Each structure stands twice: as C-alpha cells, then as structure tokens.
Amino acid sequence: MLRYWTAGESHGKTLIALVDGFPAGVPIEINSINVELRRRQGGYGRGGRQRIEADSVEFLTGIWHDTTLGSPIALQVVNKDYKLERLDDLVRPRPGHGDLTGAIKYLGSVRGILERASARETTVRVAAGGLAKQLLGEFGIRAFGYVAELGGIKIVPQPGTLKEQRKLRDESEIYSLNPAQDGELKDLIDRIGRDGDTLGGIVEVRVEGIPFGLGTHAQWDRKLDGRLAQAVMAVQAIKGVEIGLGFEAARRPGSQVHDPIHYDESQKNTSCLGYTRPTNNAGGLEAGMTNGQPLVVRAAKKPISTLRKPLESVNLDTKAPDTASYERSDICAVPAASVIVENVVAFEVAAALIDKFGGDSLAEMKARYELFLKMARER
Ligand code: EPS
C-alpha cells in the first residue's frame, strides 16, 4: 500500500513528506523532480514569495545509489523564507482561508492555522508525485497536466501528440495548450491584480499508457475514481473534481454519454488491449476501474483568498467590523495548480498500480504486469 503524509509550515524551517510503501529497485532521477518543483513555483500571476524560493528536493532516507530500497522515503524541501518565529498573529480573518474556522476549532491563533493551511505545503506533494511518476515511467504511464480555463475564459487546446502538447504547454506562461491565448489571459491577470483581486480556473490532467484494471468495483474506498476525487479535492483551494465528461454527463441522454466498445486486433499490444472506444467520455474509468483509455481528471480552483482589496471581516479581539488582513500573496496560482493536480493524480495511479501488481520490488511488479497483460489478451 503506497501512501504519504506531509509536515511543515509555510514559513517554517522545512517541508517534509514521508512516503511509505514505495517498491525497491526503482531508479530515481532527482533532476526531473526538481524541474517539477520549479514549474510549480512558476506560471503567470505568482507573487513575491517565488522570487525568494528556489525549491529543490533532498532525500533523507530510503534511497541508496539513486535507487529505492523498499523502505520509507523521507524527503524535504527547505524554506528559504523561514521566519515563522518573527511573524505576528492576524486578528482579521480572511474569508475563504482557514483563518476563522481553524482559530475557533483549535482555540488558538490564526497564524497557527494559516501556516499549515497554506498551499506552500503542495511543494512536497509535488515531490512525492514526482517520485511516483518515476515508477509510472517504468510502465510507460505518463501524467500530463495543463490549464483548461482561467478566470472564466475557456482555453482552446491545440491538438497534437503528447510530445507536441507538452511542448505547447511548456511554451505557455499560463501552462495551457494554447500559448497564443497567453496575451489575453496575462492582460486579465494584470487587470485583476491592479484591482486588488484574484482569479481561479480549471486544470485538467490526462494519464496515458495506463493499463486495464487499476482500482476495483468491489469496495467503495478502493474505487479509483473515489480515491482520485479525494486526493484532488484535498489540494488547497480545489472546490470541484470531475472525471471524463463529469457534470456534463448528467445533462445528456445515455446514448451521448457512454463510449461504444469496438475491437481492433492491430491495437492488441497497446494499453487498450484492442478494445478501442471512439470516445472517452468516461475519462478512462468505469465502475471504479481503469478501462485502458487515458484517464481524464479536471479540478476547479477557487481564486486565492488573500485579497489586496480586502473583503469584510471582523476583528477577532474586539468583534468590531473591519476589513480582512492582507499579506503578500499571489494574484493567480492556477498554472501551479495544474502541476500540483498532475502530481497528486500520478501518486494515486502509482498506488493503484502497486495494489494490482504488488509493491515489494520493481522487478516483481514488472513480471506480474507482463503476466497480467498476457492473460488479459487471452481472455
Ligand atoms: C499562501 C500565501 C503565499 C503564497 C503561498 C500560499 O505565501 P507567502 O505568504 O509566503 O507570500 O505564495 O504559496 C507558496 C508559498 C507556494 O510555494 O506555493 C497561502 O496563504 O496559502
């Protein structure tokens, strides 16, 4: 069973993830995880914090000669902007952040809540996902995230192969599949920023090369769609998760939702095992199991809740009406969310892969994976 926990505060000394259940024998290439971390820091609309940080991961345990041992992997990303001891408390909670709810629930300070509720914590979720992606890569599985909509503007994706689309996304400062729309979106972010406001958006993640049969129909807490929804919904500021057509499926008759099943012998050696589908409205999941089609997950991110032109709030000490506190923040972190959601999805897919093919060593997993494909083709 692959799982992880994180620890750390936004302006504390460090951020930590403890990854448990990762198989032995997986070669780890640290640079590609650092590339992910730097991508998470970027994208148009970020604030001053990212000019201070230069995130890079350090593995503390579980890896020897750049290869996993099968023992727990502790990793950390150190905060350059460590100043927690010097920061004051906030008395005017920000609507939308955890300030009010957390201070009441824990009978304590707002600072003590916001430091942990902050999306800075996603740094180590991306590092854990980056680790998981190295396992997925051994099976030809690739996760790819991008921004699909920003501030209510739909981005028209440019078609292409995964490689071509990756290039497009990496050219876009919005991390979208249409860099030609960057200008319009950057103008919108600038205008909203000048107004002291913030913007949200929708990110999409596609996972290709995923085999049949990850997840299960048999029990609610092991259905892969349920696990993905929890992992993605638990990313800071995410308010909605869709798989495949998502909410749109509810608006159409069944004949325009379900993906017909065909068989094409020439595709027998691809992840669909020959069972082609002219559409992928199910987003690669039927009855909680992968169906050999690409997985498609979408997430809605609300705008950042720290507004330079603050909303109404109250002073927690006097209970008098006031405006919410403002601290340095981002105008838009939707591009970063596409990196974060890509990596949390990758982690859940890796966990499901281990559930199906065993998690002691990569060599055993590969042998069982090949055996399963052979048996499934003969089914
Ligand atoms: C965040 C507030 C800002 C963001 C932060 C999330 O941090 P700071 O208060 O240091 O300016 O930049 O996100 C990150 C630091 C990050 O690395 O993503 C918040 O309050 O949630």
Side-chain angles (χ1 to χ4, degrees):
M1 178 184 176
L2 180 67
R3 56 203 171 148
Y4 73 108
W5 298 269
T6 71
E9 285 76 34
S10 181
H11 304 95
K13 285 184 182 159
T14 193
L15 298 156
I16 287 174
L18 178 63
V19 182
D20 183 46
F22 202 88
V26 182
I28 297 302
E29 204 262 299
I30 202 164
N31 189 48
S32 53
I33 301 177
N34 285 334
V35 168
E36 295 290 297
L37 292 177
R38 297 310 296 267
R39 286 193 60 243
R40 193 205 68 92
Q41 288 194 266
Y44 201 77
R46 286 292 232 168
R49 177 72 182 270
Q50 304 311 331
R51 287 192 283 278
I52 301 172
E53 304 294 344
D55 294 338
S56 72
V57 68
E58 188 184 348
F59 287 102
L60 304 174
T61 69
I63 293 180
W64 191 50
H65 294 323
D66 296 328
T67 304
T68 57
L69 294 171
S71 48
I73 298 171
L75 61 86
Q76 74 169 347
V77 175
V78 173
N79 283 323
K80 286 205 164 76
D81 200 21
Y82 163 47
K83 57 182 182 191
L84 188 51
E85 309 307 326
R86 286 177 280 126
L87 290 170
D88 295 333
D89 197 12
L90 267 58
V91 289
R92 296 170 292 135
R94 293 160 296 171
H97 218 294
D99 301 354
L100 173 65
T101 324
I104 299 289
K105 173 176 164 64
Y106 290 91
L107 307 175
S109 65
V110 167
R111 173 68 59 194
I113 300 305
L114 79 88
E115 285 290 328
R116 179 65 187 157
S118 162
R120 176 82 189 138
E121 182 261 353
T122 59
T123 308
V124 282
R125 285 205 237 182
V126 169
L131 195 65
K133 281 206 274 197
Q134 309 219 347
L135 173 67
L136 296 181
E138 295 287 334
F139 296 85
I141 303 171
R142 296 165 305 270
F144 176 59
Y146 43 88
V147 174
E149 198 175 312
L150 198 147
I153 298 181
K154 281 199 169 59
I155 302 170
V156 185
Q158 295 297 307
T161 61
L162 184 62
K163 198 173 162 205
E164 288 162 349
Q165 289 199 324
R166 202 179 280 280
K167 189 164 171 286
L168 282 171
R169 183 200 66 184
D170 292 346
E171 278 166 16
S172 163
E173 287 182 74
I174 303 293
Y175 298 179
S176 82
L177 299 185
N178 191 350
Q181 255 181 285
D182 276 15
E184 171 195 7
L185 295 163
K186 285 165 65 176
D187 286 349
L188 174 66
I189 294 170
D190 289 343
R191 182 161 53 75
I192 287 284
R194 279 195 300 275
D195 291 348
D197 216 330
T198 57
L199 282 178
I202 296 177
V203 301
E204 187 165 288
V205 174
R206 224 164 54 216
V207 187
E208 298 198 354
I210 200 162
F212 259 92
L214 304 193
T216 175
H217 66 299
Q219 197 57 266
W220 69 270
D221 63 342
R222 295 195 297 129
K223 284 175 176 257
L224 186 54
D225 40 12
R227 288 207 174 174
L228 286 166
Q230 196 210 343
V232 174
M233 200 65 152
V235 171
Q236 287 81 342
I238 298 298
K239 297 301 267 186
V241 181
E242 294 183 318
I243 290 175
L245 267 190
F247 275 55
E248 176 59 23
R251 302 184 187 111
R252 299 185 185 182
S255 59
Q256 288 169 44
V257 170
H258 303 298
D259 309 308
I261 303 172
H262 300 160
Y263 188 75
D264 176 357
E265 178 83 22
S266 72
Q267 304 238 22
K268 205 172 174 177
N269 291 322
T270 68
S271 55
C272 76
L273 304 178
Y275 297 99
T276 58
R277 317 294 285 264
T279 50
N280 184 23
N281 292 336
L285 279 161
E286 287 169 311
M289 297 174 280
T290 53
N291 65 1
Q293 300 298 312
L295 194 65
V296 182
V297 181
R298 251 185 322 281
K301 182 185 181 299
K302 69 181 181 182
I304 300 275
S305 48
T306 307
L307 305 187
R308 200 163 43 75
K309 199 162 141 197
L311 293 172
E312 291 169 9
S313 183
V314 294
N315 183 307
L316 288 180
D317 294 338
T318 64
K319 315 290 188 240
D322 208 331
T323 52
S325 300
Y326 175 73
E327 292 205 325
R328 176 191 66 190
S329 193
D330 308 310
I331 301 165
C332 172
V334 179
S338 72
V339 182
I340 298 159
V341 175
E342 173 183 311
N343 279 281
V344 303
V345 164
F347 194 93
E348 292 313 308
V349 172
L353 192 77
I354 287 171
D355 284 350
K356 174 114 183 84
F357 299 111
D360 287 340
S361 71
L362 178 61
E364 185 189 353
M365 279 183 86
K366 280 191 169 170
R368 288 177 57 175
Y369 171 80
E370 292 302 335
L371 176 65
F372 170 71
L373 291 188
K374 182 172 172 293
M375 293 172 85
R377 281 190 202 103
E378 287 164 5
R379 157 78 181 71

